[in-house]
Structures are given as structure tokens and as C-alpha cells.
């Protein structure tokens, strides 16, 4: 269903371009040469300019390489749904690695088993959860914990953004490896995993972009009620179209609807990416 006020005559946004290497490969250059001003924000937080968000992902991807990460490496992501989590997932894929979302509802033993089974050596974590990440590192083969914000015994994410000592910059060729998202859970026979590789994600990117006809006038909500790969695909498709992205840790319909209404959202992520009628929150 089309949102109210979203007519078919909405202006296109540089049609024809597509991600290269990873879902955000080429996004920074795309945003820099347009007049669209998309933003990324939490449901109640400060909005980050889309061009700054894309630049952060590229710089942080190069920073991961400087810290010894290699294409195909698996890096854990421990954070609630929000800008930090989205940044972490895109950064790992931009480096050529596999982002491993860690379930906040799982017990430490299960998460430790997952990290050990996949041989993850780094975890990107939001500062409030840094203590849990450090404990997970003690129990597994994880050797580096990188935190968004200040947290004891962790490396600040900001260090990944420092210029390269030798002046080398981000190389999108790294994304030619099959980066993606690795979903793991505890099953009857042990740890079960599902890989959402770049080809799959890119195919879904094109499908979502085509079916939703996203433009720079859209506002897209990414919520905790949807799958990680769905959020990554829809978030990238939105930014490539010049649309703004709102993230929320809400995972129930009333909570997600409240966020969508408060931000006059035109697209929601769950249960599947779809258009919604725009409703503004009461005064």
C-alpha cells in the first residue's frame, strides 16, 4: 500500500547505481554528489547525516584492517537495534567480513559457544554492554573488544576512524570477498548457522528497492522485530535512495507503530519491508 502523499510523481534519486562490493560500497560517493540529505538516527536520538554515516563505515572498515582483521573474518556485534548496531554491521561487511549478530536474550554460555564455534576474534559492542563483551572475551577466543563510547578495557570505536599511518585509504576491492551476515543459534545438535552472503543481500536490495520504489522523500523505520539481514538490506536501500532511516529497539507492533507515527514514517521493516500510511503523532 502506498503511503498518503507519496504519489507516483515523486522525484527519482540517481537511478541505475548499485552497491559495489558490499551494501554500502559506493554509498559515500553517491551521497556526496546529490542534493539529498538523508539521516540515520535512533527513535529518540540525534540524527546523523547520511554522508557522515557512510564516511564512518568506510573509515572504520579500513580501521578494522589496520587492527589485523581480514576478509572472511567473523566479527561479533553486541548492541541493541540502533545506529551503533547498524554502523557495526555495515562496517564489518565493508571490510569484507561476516557480521555475527549476538542475541541479547541469550545466556552467556550460548553466546560463548557461538563465538568459539565460529572462531570470532573481535566483538563490536555498545558501551553499556561492554562488561558482558569483556566476559565473553575471557570465555572465548575473542581478543579484541571495540566499544562505541568509553568503556574500561576496550578499544574505542573512534580509534578505527583515525587516518592510516601510511596514508592509504579505504579500498572497495575488499568487498569483492563474500561478505555478509552470519546468523547463529543453539540447536538440538549444537550451534546452527545461516549465512546471508553478499549475492543474496544484493539480490534482496534490488528487489526491495524496486518493490517499494524508495525515494528521498521516504522515512524508513528499522526495528528489532525484523531479521538482521532484512534491516541491513532495507537500511542500505533507503540510504541509496536518499531516504532517512529511523532505528528502534521496539519489537512489538504498538511500539513500532508509535515510532513510525512519531516520525511520519512511510516504510516499516517488519514483518517484511512494506509501505504504511503516514500518521503524525498527536500534538
Amino acid at each position: 500500500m502506498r503511503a498518503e502523499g507519496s504519489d507516483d510523481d515523486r522525484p527519482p534519486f540517481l537511478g541505475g547505481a548499485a552497491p559495489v562490493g558490499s551494501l554500502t560500497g559506493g554509498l559515500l560517493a553517491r551521497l556526496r554528489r546529490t542534493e539529498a540529505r538523508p539521516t540515520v538516527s535512533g527513535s529518540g536520538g540525534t540524527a546523523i547525516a547520511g554522508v557522515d554515516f557512510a564516511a564512518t563505515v568506510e573509515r572504520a572498515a579500513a580501521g578494522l584492517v589496520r587492527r589485523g582483521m581480514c576478509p572472511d573474518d567473523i566479527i561479533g556485534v553486541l548492541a541493541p537495534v540502533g545506529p551503533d548496531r547498524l554502523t557495526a554491521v555495515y562496517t564489518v561487511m565493508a571490510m569484507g567480513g561476516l557480521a555475527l549478530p549476538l542475541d541479547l536474550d541469550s545466556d552467556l554460555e550460548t553466546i560463548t559457544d557461538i563465538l568459539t564455534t565460529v572462531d570470532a576474534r573481535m566483538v563490536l559492542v555498545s558501551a553499556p554492554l561492554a562488561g558482558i563483551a569483556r566476559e565473553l572475551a575471557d570465555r572465548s577466543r575473542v581478543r579484541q573488544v571495540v566499544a562505541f563510547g568509553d568503556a574500561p578495557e576496550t578499544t574505542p570505536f573512534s580509534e578505527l576512524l583515525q587516518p592510516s599511518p601510511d596514508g592509504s585509504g579505504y579500498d572497495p576491492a575488499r568487498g569483492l570477498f563474500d561478505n555478509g551476515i552470519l546468523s547463529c543459534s543453539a540447536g538440538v545438535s549444537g550451534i546452527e548457522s545461516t549465512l546471508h552472503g553478499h549475492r543474496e543481500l544484493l539480490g534482496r536490495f534490488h528487489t526491495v528497492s524496486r518493490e517499494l520504489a524508495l525515494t528521498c522523500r521516504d522515512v524508513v523505520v528499522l526495528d528489532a522485530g525484523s531479521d538482521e539481514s532484512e534491516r541491513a538490506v532495507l537500511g542500505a536501500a533507503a540510504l541509496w535512495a536518499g531516504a532517512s532511516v529511523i532505528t528502534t529497539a521496539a519489537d512489538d507492533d504498538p511500539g513500532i507503530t508509535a515510532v513510525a507515527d512519531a516520525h511520519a514514517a512511510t516504510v516499516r521493516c517488519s514483518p517484511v519491508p512494506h509501505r504504511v500510511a503516514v500518521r503524525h503523532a498527536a500534538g
Side-chain angles (χ1 to χ4, degrees):
M1 176 174 66
R2 278 203 174 273
E4 296 174 4
S6 56
D7 301 323
D8 289 338
D9 62 355
R10 291 175 304 173
F13 179 68
L14 287 181
V20 176
S22 74
L23 289 179
T24 57
L27 176 61
L28 177 58
R30 179 176 173 83
L31 293 178
R32 280 176 170 169
R33 67 177 185 265
T34 70
E35 295 181 357
R37 295 293 181 266
T39 60
V40 177
S41 63
S43 55
T46 303
I48 307 165
V51 68
D52 293 336
F53 179 84
T56 294
V57 168
E58 288 200 2
R59 292 165 60 195
L64 287 180
V65 175
R66 290 196 301 274
R67 295 196 69 83
M69 296 295 102
C70 300
D72 295 334
D73 276 353
I74 298 171
I75 298 178
V77 176
L78 183 63
V81 174
D84 288 351
R85 186 180 180 113
L86 199 62
T87 300
V89 169
Y90 288 150
T91 294
V92 174
M93 291 195 291
M95 184 273 297
L98 301 178
L100 171 68
L102 301 173
D103 189 348
L104 298 174
D105 295 327
S106 295
D107 56 74
L108 289 179
E109 288 73 19
T110 298
I111 300 177
T112 299
D113 286 345
I114 289 172
L115 290 169
T116 302
T117 299
V118 303
D119 198 26
R121 299 302 177 96
M122 177 185 284
V123 170
L124 301 178
V125 63
S126 56
L129 299 176
I132 296 176
R134 292 196 304 271
E135 185 170 351
L136 290 170
D138 290 339
R139 298 180 176 205
S140 66
R141 298 192 184 106
V142 170
R143 292 296 173 263
Q144 299 186 64
V145 176
V146 177
F148 290 88
D150 295 326
E153 300 176 55
T154 67
T155 298
F157 183 81
S158 58
E159 285 195 13
L160 300 181
L161 308 180
Q162 297 301 314
S164 171
D166 61 5
S168 60
Y170 173 72
D171 180 5
R174 296 192 190 100
L176 295 178
F177 293 86
D178 193 20
N179 62 83
I181 296 172
L182 183 65
S183 299
C184 292
S185 61
V188 176
S189 58
I191 301 302
E192 300 175 349
S193 62
T194 302
L195 173 61
H196 303 282
H198 177 63
R199 289 186 180 180
E200 173 195 333
L201 297 177
L202 185 60
R204 288 161 64 183
F205 172 95
H206 287 301
T207 298
V208 165
S209 299
R210 181 179 65 253
E211 292 182 348
L212 295 179
L214 294 164
T215 78
C216 55
R217 294 183 183 178
D218 282 310
V219 176
V220 174
V221 173
L222 306 180
D223 58 81
S226 54
D227 178 78
E228 191 76 47
S229 59
E230 290 287 358
R231 284 195 298 271
V233 166
L234 181 56
L239 291 172
W240 273 83
S244 289
V245 171
I246 308 295
T247 58
T248 174
D251 60 2
D252 61 323
D253 187 70
I256 300 168
T257 298
V259 172
D261 291 349
H263 294 273
T266 57
V267 175
R268 278 180 49 173
C269 195
S270 64
V272 295
H274 65 286
R275 285 196 167 274
V276 296
V278 178
R279 293 195 299 268
H280 294 269

